[in-house]
Amino acid sequence: MSKKPVNRNFIWAQAFVNQLYGLGVRYACISPGSRSTPLTVAFANRKGIKCFVNIDERVSGFFALGLAKATNFPVTIVTTSGTATSELYPAIIEAFQQRVPLIICTADRPLELLNVGANQTINQWNLYRNHIRWFKNVGSPDLSAKKITSLRNTAIKAFEISSNKNKGPVHLNFPFSKPLEPNTFSDEVETDSLMEALNPITFKNKTTKTNKLTKKEEKQISKIANYIIEKPNGLIVVGPMGYDPTFRTKVKLLSKTTRYPIIAEGVSHIRFNNNKSDNSVCVNYDAFLRSNKFKKNHKPEFVLQFGRTVTSGILEKYLEVSNPLRFLINDFGDIFDPSNKSRPPLKFSPGIFIENLIQILKGKNLKRMKNYWLKDFEKADTLAEGIKTKLLKNSGIQIEPGIIQDVISIIPSNTKIMVGNSLPIRDLDGFIGKTKKNFEVYFNRGASGIDGITSTALGIASIKKPTVLITGDLSFIHDLNALLPAKRYSIQLIVILINNNGGGIFEMLPISSNKKWFNEYFKTPHNLNISSIVKSFGLEHHIIKSKKDLQNKLNNSLKNKSFTVLEIKTDSGSSKKMRKNYWADAIKQIETQFS
Ligand SMILES: Cc1ncc(C[n+]2csc(CCOP(=O)(O)OP(=O)(O)O)c2C)c(N)n1
Ligand SMILES: [Mg+2]
């Protein structure tokens, strides 16, 4: 039998990568380093896996997060040993909290070099332990059939956990001894066993979900149905989450059946693809729920909440104070209720839950004698919509909520939107009305960091076109290294950069009245010339001077198919005034109308 000289680490890495490929993994985000050579070359060598190389691991982590969000499928990340691994942590936290599937592969020194002062060596064992769904130290490469089978099973477990069983990031630590390069040989192996090592096991997914409910699940749903029958004053809260497209129709049907209003979060996609008749979809709750009178006379007794914790603090407080019987429904039974007053969460796919619930409710006599409940919410929503539209109609380009509304009205249906934290997501939630157009909205609300926003958007934009990012200036500056992959991979992304020269959100907080500390420690103006920064990366940048200008440049950018920053210099002071005027007007008119 013929033998072939090989590098053990490389064959080990190839066996692992081939198994991932066999499972369907198609993207790897790799950062340069020496210890990770076997993994890097195995991924680079694997036809069918697209590799993105990012020098900055923090960018790489968030970029992978964006890819995984857009594909809803595990994406691999490779880093070398040492601090490189810890640069991934922010993205891993975000992936953990949002249940985004990532397979993190960190290269390490072998056991004998740990804790003895070896170069670029830290304790990588379960480094992300508070924010990871699974960790395994893969062990030293070994080309025996038994160890290769074990390695493949590790790959399968990592895939199954991250994509389905306990969705989110998983961490595999790979110790490698030198030599690391594929053409520096450490072993001789028989050709047959080599072939065998490189062939992945065919994996049959036995966990395909059936729509059939267990007895326990049937009981849970019929309990909810009984509450709905008895309680006319209920709400359906649709929080942030990437729902499947059919959910929209189902939740509207549930609203029709129950006569409960839908409280539609800005980033839930329920605001989009709406018809004129979808009156029960309420979007202006952040304004009308500021009226104490409305709140006092409209206390929900029952709430079904899909998705994550809502963006609006006003809504969250209202739910807490009204203290309804509140049920959270999501795929993994996660808790999204800071008030900690809701019942234990129900683990259901939202669509399946609604289908079964409607089946039970159909033909039942729901106690809806007084129809005022739903009508009042619809009326309050329409009232606030009118006030908002009037105020924004005459607002200049420097008014932040107006910009977001304009962007939504300019971009065509089916554009993907990534929205940054701080004011952009709050303005989107507070000011975007219902529209006929259909959008997919992405967000990093897992930990609501201002880090990695552009990188995440670039990952999304690599898959979905066209993608528009709406972000603040500090968030953009925090993630400047994202401009490297933007250039390197010519990614088509339009960045709407709302530049209020610092953290505008802090203007909304009581600390803003403290002149001594506010500017230096909170708002932190930077006075940077963002145009020259962006242009130094060889990327396109335009300053937007007017609404007309926004329309023209945004339309041009959509056609150009390149990375473009459209920077709008805004005034956080007058933007704050506009928001406050709107809320004050809304309170006034709601209280007159509902007297
Ligand atoms: C990584 C991280 N650091 C700090 C914060 C706290 N923080 C929240 S908003 C904000 C300011 C953001 O400024 P910008 O991106 O310009 O948005 P704006 O407030 O102007 O809308 C900061 C520093 C955070 N959320 N995440
Ligand atoms: Mg800002």
Side-chain angles (χ1 to χ4, degrees):
M1 236 177 267
S2 70
K3 287 200 162 187
K4 201 177 166 210
V6 294
N7 177 282
R8 189 190 309 170
N9 295 319
F10 182 55
I11 301 300
W12 181 253
Q14 272 193 308
F16 171 75
V17 169
N18 284 355
Q19 187 61 54
L20 285 185
Y21 178 78
L23 294 162
V25 172
R26 293 293 177 267
Y27 297 97
C29 293
I30 299 174
S31 296
S34 164
R35 194 58 53 167
S36 46
T37 302
L39 284 166
T40 299
V41 182
F43 273 110
N45 206 36
R46 174 69 246 186
K47 274 206 189 89
I49 294 191
K50 166 117 178 102
C51 296
F52 289 96
V53 184
N54 286 296
I55 161 73
D56 180 337
E57 291 83 6
R58 190 167 73 186
V59 170
S60 188
F62 279 108
F63 193 97
L65 181 88
L67 288 172
K69 274 164 170 280
T71 55
N72 193 21
F73 207 81
V75 169
T76 334
I77 305 175
V78 175
T79 76
T80 191
S81 64
T83 53
T85 58
S86 64
E87 308 290 347
L88 295 178
Y89 209 179
I92 291 174
I93 292 172
E94 187 58 34
F96 177 83
Q97 312 250 107
Q98 272 199 79
R99 290 191 174 277
V100 179
L102 295 177
I103 300 174
I104 296 120
C105 305
T106 55
D108 200 358
R109 313 271 144 161
L111 260 185
E112 65 272 18
L113 290 181
L114 301 189
N115 303 328
V116 291
N119 181 40
Q120 211 180 307
T121 307
I122 65 167
N123 182 359
Q124 294 176 196
W125 284 45
N126 215 357
L127 178 66
Y128 317 112
R129 64 177 65 76
N130 292 331
H131 300 93
I132 205 79
R133 301 288 171 193
W134 192 54
F135 165 75
K136 190 173 161 68
N137 189 56
V138 175
S140 294
D142 179 332
L143 302 185
S144 66
K146 193 173 153 207
K147 285 289 168 68
I148 292 277
T149 305
S150 167
L151 173 70
R152 286 176 181 144
N153 285 331
T154 298
I156 293 171
K157 273 209 181 81
F159 175 84
E160 278 195 294
I161 293 169
S162 76
S163 61
N164 178 24
K165 293 231 164 86
N166 194 7
K167 204 168 173 186
V170 296
H171 176 202
L172 302 176
N173 191 51
F174 285 82
F176 290 119
S177 300
K178 284 183 175 173
L180 303 165
E181 296 73 20
N183 52 357
T184 42
F185 305 126
S186 57
D187 294 70
E188 283 204 331
V189 290
E190 283 169 10
T191 334
D192 284 358
S193 53
L194 185 61
M195 295 285 286
E196 168 60 29
L198 296 179
N199 254 336
I201 312 172
T202 322
F203 169 70
K204 289 209 178 62
N205 195 346
K206 294 184 215 92
T207 54
T208 41
K209 277 186 199 146
T210 60
N211 285 3
K212 193 150 169 45
L213 301 182
T214 63
K215 282 269 167 298
K216 187 179 154 209
E217 288 171 332
E218 276 176 10
K219 249 184 159 162
Q220 284 176 324
I221 296 188
S222 79
K223 203 171 100 186
I224 297 289
N226 287 336
Y227 284 132
I228 292 176
I229 293 166
E230 293 301 322
K231 296 183 187 302
N233 298 350
L235 295 175
I236 302 167
V237 175
V238 184
M241 191 72 84
Y243 302 96
D244 85 71
T246 63
F247 176 72
R248 190 160 28 206
T249 322
K250 288 174 188 164
V251 82
K252 284 179 188 169
L253 193 59
L254 181 64
S255 165
K256 226 179 201 153
T257 313
T258 57
R259 298 198 56 75
Y260 291 169
I262 299 173
I263 304 295
E265 163 77 38
V267 292
S268 70
H269 94 187
I270 309 299
R271 295 207 188 171
F272 310 126
N273 212 7
N274 274 297
N275 295 316
K276 280 230 153 52
S277 59
D278 293 324
N279 293 328
S280 72
V281 177
C282 293
V283 301
N284 300 308
Y285 47 83
D286 185 70
F288 68 73
L289 288 178
R290 286 171 197 261
S291 155
N292 288 332
K293 199 167 176 188
F294 186 90
K295 281 188 283 200
K296 204 170 125 236
N297 295 329
H298 298 87
K299 280 201 167 101
E301 47 186 344
F302 184 71
V303 167
L304 288 179
Q305 179 187 329
F306 300 97
R308 310 181 60 83
T309 305
V310 292
T311 302
S312 162
I314 295 289
L315 170 59
E316 189 53 56
K317 193 82 196 153
Y318 162 70
L319 294 176
E320 180 185 340
V321 173
S322 328
N323 201 14
L325 188 58
R326 179 173 175 190
F327 287 90
L328 313 178
I329 301 109
N330 57 70
D331 281 305
F332 289 90
D334 291 331
I335 301 177
F336 298 118
D337 164 27
S339 77
N340 201 18
K341 286 179 163 178
S342 56
R343 307 304 301 268
L346 303 176
K347 188 170 180 265
F348 280 95
S349 154
I352 293 173
F353 177 87
I354 295 179
E355 271 171 31
N356 285 280
L357 185 57
I358 290 176
Q359 277 306 320
I360 301 176
L361 292 174
K362 248 202 245 161
K364 287 268 161 51
N365 185 16
L366 269 62
K367 297 186 176 149
R368 301 292 180 268
M369 309 294 275
K370 290 179 278 177
N371 243 340
Y372 78 94
W373 178 257
L374 176 61
K375 291 239 167 71
D376 279 4
F377 274 84
E378 290 177 356
K379 184 172 154 192
D381 201 57
T382 313
L383 243 166
E385 185 70 30
I387 302 165
K388 182 180 78 183
T389 312
K390 214 162 130 196
L391 273 171
L392 286 182
K393 209 171 155 198
N394 302 318
S395 74
I397 188 72
Q398 74 282 8
I399 302 297
E400 291 154 7
I403 294 170
I404 300 199
Q405 213 198 37
D406 281 1
V407 170
I408 297 289
S409 71
I410 297 167
I411 56 179
S413 196
N414 293 322
T415 304
K416 319 304 165 204
I417 303 164
M418 164 81 191
V419 62
N421 287 316
S422 207
L423 289 173
I425 192 163
R426 284 170 207 280
D427 280 342
L428 191 142
D429 187 53
F431 290 87
I432 293 309
K434 288 178 265 188
T435 153
K436 244 186 122 137
K437 290 192 215 168
N438 192 20
F439 299 117
E440 259 171 54
V441 200
Y442 295 87
F443 47 88
N444 279 353
R445 284 314 263 181
S448 298
I450 59 158
D451 45 351
I453 299 294
T454 313
S455 300
T456 308
L458 284 163
I460 295 162
S462 304
I463 307 285
K464 305 221 164 183
K465 287 166 207 340
T467 299
V468 170
L469 164 66
I470 306 172
T471 187
D473 51 312
L474 290 191
S475 310
F476 185 76
I477 291 163
H478 202 292
D479 198 17
L480 274 183
N481 277 352
L483 298 182
L484 286 164
K487 174 72 184 165
R488 184 179 193 134
Y489 297 104
S490 308
I491 300 167
Q492 183 196 354
L493 174 73
I494 301 165
V495 181
I496 305 291
L497 176 56
I498 299 178
N499 185 0
N500 49 22
N501 200 20
I505 195 156
F506 299 124
E507 301 259 12
M508 309 298 293
L509 300 177
I511 192 72
S512 63
S513 61
N514 191 314
K515 296 277 172 287
K516 192 168 157 206
W517 296 324
F518 180 65
N519 244 6
E520 185 175 354
Y521 291 97
F522 294 89
K523 181 131 196 240
T524 57
H526 46 81
N527 299 311
L528 288 173
N529 182 341
I530 294 178
S531 166
S532 59
I533 298 174
V534 174
K535 286 179 179 161
S536 75
F537 281 82
L539 294 164
E540 216 173 308
H541 173 282
H542 300 280
I543 294 269
I544 301 295
K545 296 253 168 58
S546 65
K547 298 213 156 186
K548 190 91 205 118
D549 201 18
L550 176 64
Q551 187 164 16
N552 291 339
K553 298 237 166 70
L554 183 47
N555 278 326
N556 279 345
S557 308
L558 284 160
K559 277 184 228 132
N560 280 350
K561 305 204 183 305
S562 60
F563 179 93
T564 313
V565 176
L566 301 181
E567 179 184 351
I568 306 157
K569 296 198 171 155
T570 62
D571 178 350
S572 49
S574 34
S575 298
K576 171 180 163 180
K577 226 183 253 162
M578 186 266 145
R579 291 182 193 101
K580 295 217 152 161
N581 283 345
Y582 166 45
W583 297 329
D585 267 14
I587 295 171
K588 212 162 98 195
Q589 291 205 31
I590 294 280
E591 308 221 331
T592 327
Q593 291 289 323
F594 285 89
S595 57

